[in-house]
Amino acid sequence: MEWNDTPPQREGILFLAVLTTLFLFLIQFHFSLKSGSQATRRARLEALIIERDALAKFLKNTPRIPKVRPADSLEESKLKAFKEQGAPYQDLPSLLSHLTTPAFLKGTRLEGFSFQPEKIDQKIVQTDFILQASGTFGGVVQYLRQLETFPALFQVADIILSRSEERGGGIKGEISCRFYRIIKEPPG
């Protein structure tokens, strides 16, 4: 066979059939990729719509929280109250007796309490403790707001909220707090 010879008609037809088959496979592969990406886009769009609806329901049921004062002014207000009233809460039990009254809880349930040993730094004693609370979302948020603005040398350090397994759809909160007490020097 020489290169200058023309191929027989049957070989030319077979060559065209092979090229046409390859071309059709390439087109099919291209469109299958596009349809797969369209299905993926549809699935993502449906997931985003579901997420948007869930967020809208959540925001609808979330109580409006007023603008919170910056932390500096909150600390200043606590120090001002401390200077004006003295130290109404000299120890952790007196503070907790107020923070756990039904009037202060307003429907939120305290399910647990734990504390760490005191840390003494010069004239200040720091006691870290954890409150475990549960209730409705609005109730727990209201309780946290009251804790934050409570006039004592006390602060909320960390909050962990999780969904409650109970039927009512409430939430559980683990509230890490710090109580500070100033050591008074003995007169003399």
Side-chain angles (χ1 to χ4, degrees), residues 67-133:
K67 190 173 183 179
V68 179
R69 296 179 289 177
D72 292 340
S73 66
L74 189 60
E75 290 172 5
E76 288 173 10
S77 68
K78 287 188 177 195
L79 287 173
K80 181 181 175 187
F82 179 75
K83 288 176 185 174
E84 290 174 358
Q85 301 171 1
Y89 304 100
Q90 297 291 333
D91 56 1
L92 189 57
S94 65
L95 174 71
L96 289 174
S97 67
H98 185 79
L99 298 181
T100 57
T101 60
F104 195 83
L105 289 169
K106 294 183 182 174
T108 301
R109 292 181 311 280
L110 284 181
E111 296 179 346
F113 168 76
S114 62
F115 66 95
Q116 299 292 320
E118 295 180 336
K119 297 176 189 173
I120 301 173
D121 183 24
Q122 296 176 3
K123 294 184 179 183
I124 298 176
V125 177
Q126 172 187 323
T127 307
D128 293 339
F129 62 98
I130 296 174
L131 298 172
Q132 295 169 341

Side-chain angles (χ1 to χ4, degrees), residues 1-186:
M1 173 180 231
E2 291 188 25
W3 290 105
N4 293 336
D5 290 341
T6 59
Q9 186 178 9
R10 189 175 85 176
E11 287 179 8
I13 292 173
L14 283 174
F15 181 70
L16 282 175
V18 168
L19 279 179
T20 306
T21 305
L22 285 174
F23 181 72
L24 290 175
F25 279 130
L26 285 174
I27 289 175
Q28 184 181 7
F29 179 72
H30 176 72
F31 284 114
S32 70
L33 285 179
K34 279 193 172 185
S35 67
S37 66
Q38 286 178 352
T40 304
R41 286 183 196 143
R42 271 192 223 110
R44 286 181 188 166
L45 181 62
E46 289 173 7
L48 287 172
I49 290 171
I50 291 170
E51 187 176 343
R52 181 196 66 195
D53 294 342
L55 284 173
K57 287 178 186 176
F58 177 75
L59 289 175
K60 181 181 174 186
N61 295 329
T62 302
R64 298 286 181 237
I65 300 174
K67 190 173 183 179
V68 179
R69 296 179 289 177
D72 292 340
S73 66
L74 189 60
E75 290 172 5
E76 288 173 10
S77 68
K78 287 188 177 195
L79 287 173
K80 181 181 175 187
F82 179 75
K83 288 176 185 174
E84 290 174 358
Q85 301 171 1
Y89 304 100
Q90 297 291 333
D91 56 1
L92 189 57
S94 65
L95 174 71
L96 289 174
S97 67
H98 185 79
L99 298 181
T100 57
T101 60
F104 195 83
L105 289 169
K106 294 183 182 174
T108 301
R109 292 181 311 280
L110 284 181
E111 296 179 346
F113 168 76
S114 62
F115 66 95
Q116 299 292 320
E118 295 180 336
K119 297 176 189 173
I120 301 173
D121 183 24
Q122 296 176 3
K123 294 184 179 183
I124 298 176
V125 177
Q126 172 187 323
T127 307
D128 293 339
F129 62 98
I130 296 174
L131 298 172
Q132 295 169 341
S134 66
T136 64
F137 180 78
V140 172
V141 168
Q142 180 65 29
Y143 184 67
L144 289 170
R145 189 179 302 131
Q146 288 179 302
L147 288 176
E148 272 294 316
T149 59
F150 191 70
L153 291 179
F154 151 81
Q155 75 180 113
V156 176
D158 192 22
I159 303 165
I160 299 173
L161 296 177
S162 61
R163 225 173 91 204
S164 178
E165 299 298 324
E166 296 175 7
R167 277 191 152 199
I171 62 169
K172 291 182 178 182
E174 188 172 288
I175 308 162
S176 300
C177 304
R178 285 203 173 108
F179 174 69
Y180 298 99
R181 179 172 51 92
I182 297 175
I183 299 173
K184 293 183 179 179
E185 294 182 20

